[in-house]
Amino acid sequence: MNKLRHIILGVTGSIAAYKAAELVRLFMKKRYKVSVVMTQEAKKFITPLTLSRLSQNKVYQDMFENDGSSWDIEHVDLAQSADAVVIAPATANVISKIACGLADDLLTCITLATKAKIVIAPAMNEGMYTNKIFQENVKKLEKNGIKFVGPVKGDLACGTKGVGHIASEEEIVKEVERSFK
């Protein structure tokens, strides 16, 4: 049954991007089809080659990758084929763009165009996460049915401890599976 489920895994520019490799592995173990979509910033932290090999699928990186040999509009095709869109790690920037309805890259276009379940796993500095404007964006997305998993208190890239550490990969997968029920 899971083999029919298609997960779009959005990876954004966070130090936690390395966790995407384990997420792909866990989704594949559950026999989901995984299509990875990376922002330009994510590629500074983990390579598309790693995620392509793990997912056994093309990694999508650019709005205009189509070489003209097909009529596919990738952001629409991916959005329509998805059973879930999972953004992990999700930066404050990408979360805020989604909350404002902005679609200026492949990942935000897919998120805006999909009717699939959306699960977001934030990862950022505690000051960014607790910022009042950012929290209003989170509440707005939650009101619109988007599920958040984490963040949790832990070691942060800035050398401090606080809320902003990405949730465990297992918790993210559990939330995706809950969203299917």
Side-chain angles (χ1 to χ4, degrees), residues 3-154:
K3 191 166 187 148
L4 301 177
R5 301 264 192 207
H6 183 199
I7 308 288
I8 304 292
L9 176 61
V11 183
T12 70
S14 164
I15 190 72
Y18 75 94
K19 302 266 187 165
E22 179 65 6
L23 274 170
V24 169
R25 191 188 72 74
L26 290 172
F27 285 135
M28 295 292 290
K29 191 175 179 180
K30 292 187 173 287
R31 304 188 52 78
Y32 294 118
K33 176 184 177 187
V34 181
S35 297
V36 177
V37 176
M38 298 180 76
T39 64
Q40 294 303 311
E41 296 79 9
K43 294 189 290 183
K44 305 234 185 248
F45 295 98
I46 188 168
T47 69
L49 178 61
T50 299
L51 298 174
S52 175
R53 292 294 179 232
L54 291 171
S55 68
Q56 301 170 8
N57 207 346
K58 173 183 176 179
V59 171
Y60 298 87
Q61 308 170 51
D62 190 352
M63 277 289 290
F64 303 106
E65 285 181 51
N66 188 330
D67 63 5
S69 63
S70 91
W71 290 96
D72 294 341
I73 302 171
E74 285 181 335
H75 67 281
V76 174
D77 292 344
L78 287 166
Q80 290 175 346
S81 71
D83 293 297
V85 175
V86 181
I87 305 174
T91 60
N93 181 53
V94 166
I95 293 167
S96 296
K97 288 197 300 186
I98 294 167
C100 293
L102 296 177
D104 65 352
D105 62 22
L106 183 59
L107 180 58
T108 53
C109 282
I110 290 168
T111 304
L112 200 60
T114 195
K115 294 189 185 327
K117 309 286 185 192
I118 300 174
V119 175
I120 295 178
M124 64 196 70
N125 171 272
E126 183 174 38
M128 296 169 79
Y129 183 72
T130 59
N131 177 283
K132 184 179 176 183
I133 295 168
F134 179 76
Q135 284 301 309
E136 288 172 7
N137 287 336
V138 169
K139 287 178 185 140
K140 181 179 181 181
L141 292 172
E142 287 175 330
K143 277 190 228 169
N144 284 288
I146 294 177
K147 297 290 183 190
F148 281 79
V149 75
V152 298
K153 188 171 187 168

